[in-house]
Amino acid sequence: MKDTIKKIAVLTSGGDAPGMNAAIRAVVRACTYYRVECVGVYRGYQGLIEGDFEPMSARLVSNIINKGGTILKSARSLEFRTEEGRAKAYKHLKEHGIGALILIGGDGTFTGGLKFIQEYNFPIVGIPGTIDNDIYGTDNTIGYDTALNTVVEVIDKIRDTASSHNRLFFVEVMGRDAGFIALNSGIGAGAEEILIPEKNLGLDRLVESLQKSKDKGKTSSIVVVSEGDKIGKNVFELADYINEHFPHYETRVSVLGHMQRGGSPSCYDRVLASRLGVAAVDTLLDGVSGVMVGITHNKVTTVGLNKAIKMNNDIDQELLKVAEIISV
């Protein structure tokens, strides 16, 4: 494979995550190191369909390791879900002499890549880039650590206001299907309660918890809510329900939204992205395809894209216990 792959393309797809640029930089420089051409694909799979390519050099990716977002842009592509769209993508790859593809993204990105492999037997390796940390086969995804730091910093500021005005704040964080951000940021910020999709505490349990806090003399509280939590239809209805039971609180809702995706990546995410970018190129040049590179117990590992897509990361039960104990 080292003798046959002369050109590798890299793209970012799905939601952006801090550290994607660091991963792009690592891929490009690893290609330069191994004397392999590297091509950047703009706007994810849509750019692949349209042939929106640009040759990438080591100098072109200077000074991007500290930047959030992705210089290659990202876009959803309904057309790539069709056979016709994937055929156009394959045609452009062959016309440009590209022998392999590196995907930086989440499960949706990997699903498209796996389909492409099945149809065209095209060499592909995935790099997990998503703030949700919900990809199987890696302890951490690129962007997750930065998102946690962002959320904790914001909650610290919200707590200042909550304490000053005897307010109960519901802080909604990202995590439609996974509560990793809510659980870890909630513990880190000292939240009184944490609501996640994986564990439905129920309204009665939440009311009981807040009542205990009130009885112990707490004049303000922070409840961190994952957007996929199953207790209420949405965080605003949940806040209204609680406000009926605790009228002495001024109840407020803060939805952090896309600010969690932005910002300069943490040192951890820069190092992780650099390691996985180099590992992705190494993996392809070693003749391995259809896998995702990840980090397990601080060692670079690989897992099949099919497993990365179909299997789920489990919430750490020890962390759930810790959250319950230290919120008393």
Side-chain angles (χ1 to χ4, degrees):
M1 187 70 76
K2 288 185 178 180
D3 295 330
T4 58
I5 293 183
K6 303 298 183 183
K7 187 183 293 188
I8 294 175
V10 57
L11 62 80
T12 53
S13 178
D16 62 292
M20 280 185 165
N21 283 327
I24 294 168
R25 174 180 179 269
V27 168
V28 173
R29 294 196 166 181
C31 286
T32 301
Y33 180 84
Y34 292 120
R35 294 182 174 85
V36 174
E37 291 184 65
C38 188
V39 172
V41 181
Y42 286 99
R43 296 175 295 113
Y45 286 128
Q46 193 60 36
L48 206 60
I49 290 171
E50 298 173 9
D52 193 0
F53 302 161
E54 180 181 357
M56 306 287 282
S57 68
R59 299 287 70 82
L60 189 64
V61 293
S62 296
N63 303 318
I64 68 169
I65 193 171
N66 61 315
K67 297 182 183 299
T70 163
I71 63 167
L72 292 178
K73 310 298 183 183
S74 184
R76 310 287 182 181
S77 177
L78 294 177
E79 189 176 359
F80 192 78
R81 298 181 183 181
T82 68
E83 291 184 9
E84 295 77 11
R86 293 189 294 273
K88 290 179 184 177
Y90 181 73
K91 177 174 177 288
H92 285 301
L93 287 169
K94 300 307 289 185
E95 285 177 349
H96 285 79
I98 296 168
L101 181 61
I102 292 176
L103 312 174
I104 307 173
D107 57 358
T109 303
F110 297 158
T111 298
L114 186 61
K115 187 69 174 177
F116 200 68
I117 292 172
Q118 292 167 347
E119 290 180 344
Y120 296 102
N121 194 30
F122 197 83
I124 289 178
V125 167
I127 298 176
T130 168
I131 67 169
D132 291 333
N133 203 44
D134 58 349
I135 302 297
Y136 178 82
T138 184
D139 290 341
N140 289 285
T141 56
I142 296 169
Y144 174 58
D145 184 71
T146 305
L148 286 181
N149 292 334
T150 298
V151 172
V152 168
E153 181 180 358
V154 172
I155 293 177
D156 285 347
K157 296 178 187 300
I158 289 174
R159 187 176 290 282
D160 291 341
T161 295
S163 300
S164 298
H165 296 275
N166 292 349
R167 284 176 178 165
L168 167 62
F169 265 91
F170 286 89
V171 181
E172 184 185 88
V173 300
M174 284 185 168
R176 183 174 62 252
D177 302 308
F180 294 101
I181 292 178
L183 180 57
N184 284 269
S185 65
I187 291 174
E192 279 67 34
E193 196 60 79
I194 302 168
L195 307 180
I196 59 176
E198 294 87 345
K199 188 172 183 179
N200 189 345
L201 297 178
L203 284 170
D204 292 340
R205 166 70 174 77
L206 178 60
V207 170
E208 179 184 347
S209 174
L210 293 174
Q211 185 62 53
K212 286 181 179 179
S213 295
K214 177 181 178 295
D215 294 342
K216 291 173 182 176
K218 289 188 178 182
T219 58
S220 64
S221 290
I222 300 289
V223 178
V224 178
V225 184
S226 178
E227 62 180 326
D229 174 65
K230 304 298 192 297
I231 287 184
K233 292 182 179 179
N234 61 61
V235 68
F236 294 98
E237 290 186 5
L238 178 60
D240 289 340
Y241 180 87
I242 296 300
N243 196 45
E244 293 176 5
H245 290 76
F246 297 93
H248 64 285
Y249 278 132
E250 287 186 58
T251 304
R252 296 289 186 272
V253 173
S254 183
V255 179
L256 301 193
H258 286 80
M259 73 168 66
Q260 297 161 83
R261 292 194 186 281
S264 181
S266 66
C267 179
Y268 179 87
D269 274 330
R270 298 183 197 192
V271 174
L272 176 62
S274 298
R275 293 179 71 184
L276 297 187
V278 171
V281 175
D282 281 337
T283 300
L284 283 171
L285 296 183
D286 285 339
V288 180
S289 173
V291 301
M292 180 195 79
V293 292
I295 196 85
T296 304
H297 304 307
N298 204 33
K299 298 292 183 183
V300 174
T301 56
T302 61
V303 63
L305 285 177
N306 58 333
K307 285 189 176 181
I309 295 165
K310 293 178 181 178
M311 300 183 72
N312 297 316
N313 271 348
D314 294 327
I315 283 288
D316 190 329
Q317 296 300 310
E318 180 194 1
L319 281 181
L320 287 173
K321 179 181 178 182
V322 168
E324 182 177 356
I325 290 174
I326 64 176
S327 65
V328 298

